[in-house]
Amino acid sequence: MLLFLCQLPVWEASLLLVVAPTLIAMAGPVVVRRRVDLLRLTTNNEIAGFKFATVGVIYAVILAFAIVAVWERYSEAETATTKEAGAAATLYRLAQGPEPAAVAARQALTAYLDSAIRDDWPAMAAETESRKTTAALNSLYDAILALPEILPRKAAAAPAMIGELDIITQARRTRLHLSEGIIPSMLWGILVCGALMTVAFTFFFGTENLSAQVAMTGILSSIVFMGLLVLVSFDHPFTGPVHASAQPLQAVIDDFGSDLLKHSRE
């Protein structure tokens, strides 16, 4: 269900997670007022006010903690992609040369980046990983590790190339891990139940102006559920309209593609 919500356009997710729950919440005071006398409700106002303040603060802290955590991990996903692109650009430069082995190494690197964009990103959107990209990464390792043996002049650069390969591997593993979702199921349960209880708490108050109470309940509900919408949008960093882009990897291909094409034709 969560993955389905993450894949929805923002306006559809807003309707399901903000508009619909808010309308239902606004109907709550009306239903309660028809069943419970106003005088009985107003007797709750003084004590319920103190308790509601405590409930609201506790839920606000939990919601804020979750939003900060999700944003940090979403930023980590973008950082991992940027590091992967930076390591690929450095590796491309370290493997420069007109020799067939150097050209093959750069071709393997381009094939890996292309597979990451074409195969890994759609797979991560579905909480999986691409075997094609894994195979392309293995081929890249084979090409880079064989390069110093075929071209002795590349021996001095071998440790640096292996280091950049390690960064690429770690960055890919990071984004694959984050693609499975950030917030644990238990915390999602607490957030949803807390939202429902916080909004339902307003039903215990009583004011002579029912329209004002309905409006206040709607405002509170919309704020609470907008917070949940933010969490849903960022919980899967590579899924849905709000996602970490593969543009840094594409930029590396664009920067070095013409050079690779020239050597491959030669």
Side-chain angles (χ1 to χ4, degrees), residues 100-124:
V103 173
R106 298 198 301 277
Q107 287 177 333
L109 176 56
T110 302
Y112 165 75
L113 294 176
D114 184 66
S115 179
I117 297 170
R118 186 181 64 254
D119 303 317
D120 242 1
W121 248 255
M124 289 188 300

Side-chain angles (χ1 to χ4, degrees), residues 197-218:
M197 288 188 291
T198 301
V199 173
F201 210 104
T202 63
F203 302 166
F204 293 96
F205 293 93
T207 62
E208 291 185 7
N209 190 340
L210 179 59
S211 299
Q213 184 176 355
V214 170
M216 288 186 287
T217 299

